[in-house]
Amino acid sequence: SGGFNEHRLAFGLLSSVSKLALTTMDYYRAQIEAGKLPKPSAVALVWEDSPHGIAYQRVVTQYILTHPDCFEIVYATDFRYSTPLQEEEFESLADDLAKTHAALVAVGRSEGISGLLVDAHSSDFVKIQSVLSRVALSLSFISYGARGADSSDIQQLSNPATAHNLIAAQWWNPSLNSTAS
């Protein structure tokens, strides 16, 4: 009785990685079904090599396999999770995506890669998106997963317009004091 924290509670509610990934995929599929995105959509899937990233990859892959009429994985890879990664470490990712995109166009898939699904921290978002802005990809759907990007991250990009088709399913709380929340 009379203790410092008497009758004070603190709690948080987080959505699981799988729920956030499913929310993104449901929205992606709804856009395809509405005719706003190509069907099937050629998807590039990239995740950090961490328990969070692996969980994201598994849920997204299972969803895509369950909806083969809407999605096709055309590229999939992980990247090492450590801090801090440099932009140069994502150059090979950009090269691989550009080659995959060109190969799809060469075989008559005019849209090439239409969706990019990445599980990354916001610092990695800035680096990956900056590197990808240097290659000619016209992505119609981009998501950086649960921890991806917010408006301050987009302002850090050398070309913020490259994030035009960015979709987010992020953790949120009412204490966020931004107009976006």
Side-chain angles (χ1 to χ4, degrees), residues 100-152:
T100 302
H101 183 79
L104 288 168
V105 170
V107 297
R109 300 269 310 261
S110 60
E111 79 280 352
I113 296 173
S114 50
L116 175 63
L117 302 173
V118 183
D119 179 70
H121 287 84
S122 77
S123 59
D124 294 328
F125 156 76
V126 172
K127 293 168 188 158
I128 294 170
Q129 195 65 24
S130 293
V131 169
L132 290 179
S133 71
R134 298 181 207 138
V135 283
L137 295 175
S138 337
L139 300 165
S140 302
F141 191 96
I142 308 167
S143 175
Y144 280 86
R147 298 173 297 190
D150 65 21
S151 56
S152 65

Side-chain angles (χ1 to χ4, degrees), residues 27-93:
Y27 180 74
Y28 193 175
R29 190 171 119 229
Q31 298 308 300
I32 291 169
E33 296 294 355
K36 296 179 181 180
L37 295 171
K39 185 176 185 177
S41 187
V43 176
L45 176 58
V46 181
W47 65 95
E48 67 180 27
D49 185 14
S50 70
H52 187 284
I54 292 166
Y56 178 83
Q57 177 268 335
R58 285 182 181 149
V59 170
V60 169
T61 300
Q62 184 58 45
Y63 192 99
I64 288 172
L65 292 173
T66 305
H67 299 90
D69 59 318
C70 291
F71 303 102
E72 176 187 7
I73 296 176
V74 295
Y75 180 83
T77 193
D78 63 354
F79 63 92
R80 83 182 161 83
Y81 172 60
S82 68
T83 306
L85 291 173
Q86 302 303 314
E87 270 189 34
E88 299 78 38
E89 297 182 71
F90 294 111
E91 293 288 343
S92 64
L93 170 64

